[in-house]
Amino acid sequence: MSIRDLLRGLPVFAGDLPEFDPSTAPDDPIALFVAWFEEAVTSGVSEPHAMTVATADESGAPSARVVILKDLTPEGWWFATTTTSRKGRELAVEPRAALLFHWREQGRQVRVRGTAGLASPERCAADFLHRPLESRVAGFQGRQSSPLADPAEVGRAAEENRARLIADPSLVPDDWGLYLVRPAEVEFWQGSPDRRHVRLRYLREKPEGPWERGLLWP
């Protein structure tokens, strides 16, 4: 069997999918995201806080990876990484970014486009200090996305960093960053087995401006 045949034989939108009536959606996409997120959690969606973050370098070449949502406030979506990582470096030269949540079990996607900004040093430090020990150990290595010559180096660096953090739990790396993505566009996508997917998009021209809502063809 070819990969093409295997792909065509896989089920899509299997199971009972939730209904979505866009006419009942709130005026603010943050409120709708909270409602959908709570439904995903109560429905047992696996890792609903995982999201794809897409960035681009100075030439416009894109890259994407999955990270964990750290917070959601009226301003937007928050995630953390080192400023020296690939995404951190790319955001420094091109702050526009896109987020994607995919809740497969519900046939839902949420797409966010906006501008990412670095939080204050105090807020970045607070985020780091609230992380579990092993997460702080990894965050202290400061070489994310750099070439690795010997896999054993990771273990040695981890042991050194663990010892430092146990000795002084208040340590925070200089390159730790907490980012806020302020949305300019948010789309809620509800899949349907008959492919009559429901797509509701929110748009605004200014960061503090009003939202305009509209449906999109599937």
Side-chain angles (χ1 to χ4, degrees):
M1 178 181 293
S2 69
I3 291 295
R4 180 177 181 276
D5 291 335
L6 180 61
L7 290 171
R8 288 183 176 273
L10 294 174
V12 181
F13 303 118
D16 295 327
L17 302 183
E19 297 288 335
F20 174 46
D21 181 358
S23 67
T24 64
D27 294 333
D28 189 337
I30 298 290
L32 182 54
F33 181 87
V34 170
W36 273 31
F37 185 79
E38 290 176 346
E39 288 182 29
V41 172
T42 58
S43 298
V45 171
S46 177
E47 299 184 353
H49 54 337
M51 63 182 185
T52 299
V53 177
T55 56
D57 63 18
E58 64 275 6
S59 69
S63 60
R65 73 290 292 163
V66 177
V67 304
I68 296 298
L69 176 67
K70 292 301 178 185
D71 199 3
L72 177 69
T73 63
E75 294 80 21
W77 286 257
W78 297 78
F79 70 93
T81 185
T82 55
T83 58
T84 52
S85 66
R86 180 173 183 174
K87 51 188 172 296
R89 297 194 306 270
E90 290 182 348
L91 290 173
V93 297
E94 175 50 83
R96 289 177 295 179
L99 310 176
L100 172 63
F101 293 85
H102 179 213
W103 298 325
R104 178 186 60 80
E105 297 90 335
Q106 295 179 309
R108 285 180 168 175
Q109 299 179 54
V110 181
R111 303 170 63 200
V112 180
R113 295 177 66 197
T115 302
L118 194 60
S120 68
E122 294 78 15
R123 191 157 188 171
C124 291
D127 174 81
F128 185 82
L129 293 173
H130 279 88
R131 299 169 75 87
L133 175 60
E134 291 307 314
S135 179
R136 285 182 285 134
V137 168
F140 228 104
Q141 297 184 63
R143 285 176 279 182
Q144 188 181 104
S145 306
S146 299
L148 176 64
D150 180 4
E153 292 181 33
V154 177
R156 289 194 293 267
E159 291 305 318
E160 293 173 2
N161 292 330
R162 186 179 294 106
R164 293 175 62 194
L165 288 167
I166 291 174
D168 186 355
S170 66
L171 287 176
V172 177
D174 294 335
D175 64 350
W176 189 254
L178 179 66
Y179 290 86
L180 166 64
V181 177
R182 296 181 182 273
E185 177 180 350
V186 186
E187 179 188 333
F188 295 84
W189 192 99
Q190 175 63 69
S192 176
D194 62 8
R195 304 306 194 269
R196 298 177 184 178
H197 313 308
V198 178
R199 298 176 62 186
L200 175 64
R201 181 176 63 179
Y202 291 76
L203 286 173
R204 67 180 177 186
E205 295 183 0
K206 299 179 180 180
E208 305 301 327
W211 289 100
E212 296 183 2
R213 292 186 300 171
L215 296 176
L216 299 175
W217 274 81

